[in-house]
Amino acid sequence: MLRWFARRLLLAIPVIWGVVTISFVMMHLAPGDPARTALGEKASDASVAALRHQWGLDQSLPLQYVSYLRQLVHGDLGTSVYYHAPITSLMAQRLPVTLSLVVLSAILTMLISVPLASRSATHPNGLAALAVRLFNAIVQGAPTFFIGAMLILFLGVRVAIFPAGGYPASIGGRAWALVLPALTIALGTVPIMVRGLRAAMTESYGSEYVAFARSKGLPERPIRYRYVLRNAGISGVSILGIQVGALASGALVIEQVFAIPGMGSMLMTGILNRDYALVQACTLVFGLLVVVVYLGTDLAYARLDPRARLS
């Protein structure tokens, strides 16, 4: 197991390097000048040239890339030219917010998907299964920001159960404010999770061990939870791990819609203001997050399925 885990860590290194390289190249190929954006359109060419020299933007692209890699090796993410603060301190403030949002979205995804998939697999030709398929089609066809706007309109304005936006100072207020954006992100992942769990549960219902349990006279409820859901949970863990990237990308948009001060809103601010160091640091952190979750998913899969440990 340790040898397998070490090999997975080694394979993660080129992935992280690829994320760093692609984000660096994409930002430098994007139109616009960070120095001109910082000083304004009315700034003189001499002032812009002086600021570009101060930031090292007048160097060739390979030299800038080598300098950036050298900073990363020493743990220096740089300084944000927009916020005028070290990016490390900005990450310490924004990253816990986004992580809380992603974790809550994953929890809500499972809380919604498991009952829907269970009901749909238990009665595949019933009215409930038809309603689940209709729900999946509607939710999957709607953009995430549209779902968020509708939830704000109904649950945040008309019913006024949840706050329509913002991030309060108290811990309880923050947790309550994250429910609506987390639900918005979760609804975008629920259809994929429901289909995967339903297929796994349908396969389990047709297996020999379920037929043997029924032959012993076990009721349907213990069979469903002890045999069917337990084996379908292996597929659920894999699907949820794969969808973490979708949850993180959904946070980029939803944090803007609900005015949540997380990594997503900071990344969008960096992109709009051509803050190279900030965008590259946010991309690196998101890439590390996905890689760590994938490693955790592999470990959980090996823990749940003995066949994976044997292979």
Side-chain angles (χ1 to χ4, degrees), residues 17 26-27 56 86 101 116 119 143 147 149 155 162 170 180 193 209 266 269 273:
W17 174 78
M26 292 292 291
M27 281 303 300
L101 182 59
L116 293 181
R119 187 66 178 175
I147 296 176
L155 298 181
F162 302 99
S170 62
L180 209 56
M193 181 65 68
Y209 55 84
M266 186 170 66
T269 301
N273 292 277

Side-chain angles (χ1 to χ4, degrees), residues 70-81:
R70 188 182 299 113
Q71 289 180 350
L72 288 181
V73 170
H74 290 85
D76 183 13
L77 296 178
T79 302
S80 171
V81 299

Side-chain angles (χ1 to χ4, degrees), residues 169-192:
S170 62
I171 297 178
R174 290 179 176 181
W176 194 245
L178 288 178
V179 173
L180 209 56
L183 179 61
T184 305
I185 300 173
L187 287 177
T189 314
V190 163
I192 301 175

Side-chain angles (χ1 to χ4, degrees), residues 28-298:
H28 283 77
L29 291 180
D33 187 355
R36 177 69 66 179
T37 303
L39 295 177
E41 294 297 331
K42 296 183 179 180
S44 62
D45 293 339
S47 300
V48 174
L51 188 58
R52 286 179 57 86
H53 178 72
Q54 179 182 349
W55 288 347
L57 298 177
D58 55 346
Q59 299 178 352
S60 63
L61 195 60
L63 288 178
Q64 294 183 49
Y65 179 68
V66 172
S67 177
Y68 175 61
L69 290 181
R70 188 182 299 113
Q71 289 180 350
L72 288 181
V73 170
H74 290 85
D76 183 13
L77 296 178
T79 302
S80 171
V81 299
Y82 177 80
Y83 291 99
H84 303 287
I87 296 178
T88 305
S89 62
L90 295 175
M91 292 286 183
Q93 299 173 6
R94 302 292 189 105
L95 185 58
V97 179
T98 300
L99 289 179
S100 302
L101 182 59
V102 172
V103 171
L104 184 57
S105 302
I107 294 174
L108 292 178
T109 298
M110 296 304 298
L111 291 178
I112 298 173
S113 301
V114 172
L116 293 181
S118 177
R119 187 66 178 175
S120 180
T122 306
H123 303 87
N125 298 319
L127 185 60
L130 179 62
V132 170
R133 287 195 292 268
L134 181 62
F135 171 78
N136 288 343
I138 294 174
V139 172
Q140 194 168 16
T144 305
F145 64 87
F146 176 77
I147 296 176
M150 291 299 100
L151 289 179
I152 290 175
L153 178 62
F154 289 102
L155 298 181
V157 177
R158 293 188 177 180
V159 183
I161 300 177
F162 302 99
Y167 198 64
S170 62
I171 297 178
R174 290 179 176 181
W176 194 245
L178 288 178
V179 173
L180 209 56
L183 179 61
T184 305
I185 300 173
L187 287 177
T189 314
V190 163
I192 301 175
M193 181 65 68
V194 169
R195 283 200 301 267
L197 286 175
R198 182 180 58 199
M201 292 181 67
T202 302
E203 182 180 357
S204 296
Y205 272 120
S207 62
E208 295 181 356
Y209 55 84
V210 171
F212 179 72
R214 285 172 174 166
S215 67
K216 292 192 303 181
L218 289 180
E220 284 296 322
R221 182 179 292 272
I223 291 176
R224 182 189 309 169
Y225 291 103
R226 188 180 303 174
Y227 296 100
V228 177
L229 274 178
R230 184 175 181 180
N231 288 277
I234 299 174
S235 299
V237 169
S238 301
I239 297 172
L240 184 62
I242 295 173
Q243 291 301 312
V244 165
L247 295 176
S249 62
L252 301 180
V253 179
I254 296 306
E255 286 181 359
Q256 295 286 330
V257 175
F258 288 90
I260 302 296
M263 291 280 296
S265 59
M266 186 170 66
L267 176 60
M268 295 300 296
T269 301
I271 293 174
L272 295 176
N273 292 277
R274 303 296 186 271
D275 195 337
Y276 288 170
L278 183 61
V279 173
Q280 291 162 184
C282 291
T283 307
L284 174 62
V285 170
F286 275 115
L288 286 173
L289 173 63
V290 173
V291 169
V292 169
V293 170
Y294 282 176
L295 288 174
T297 302
D298 290 339

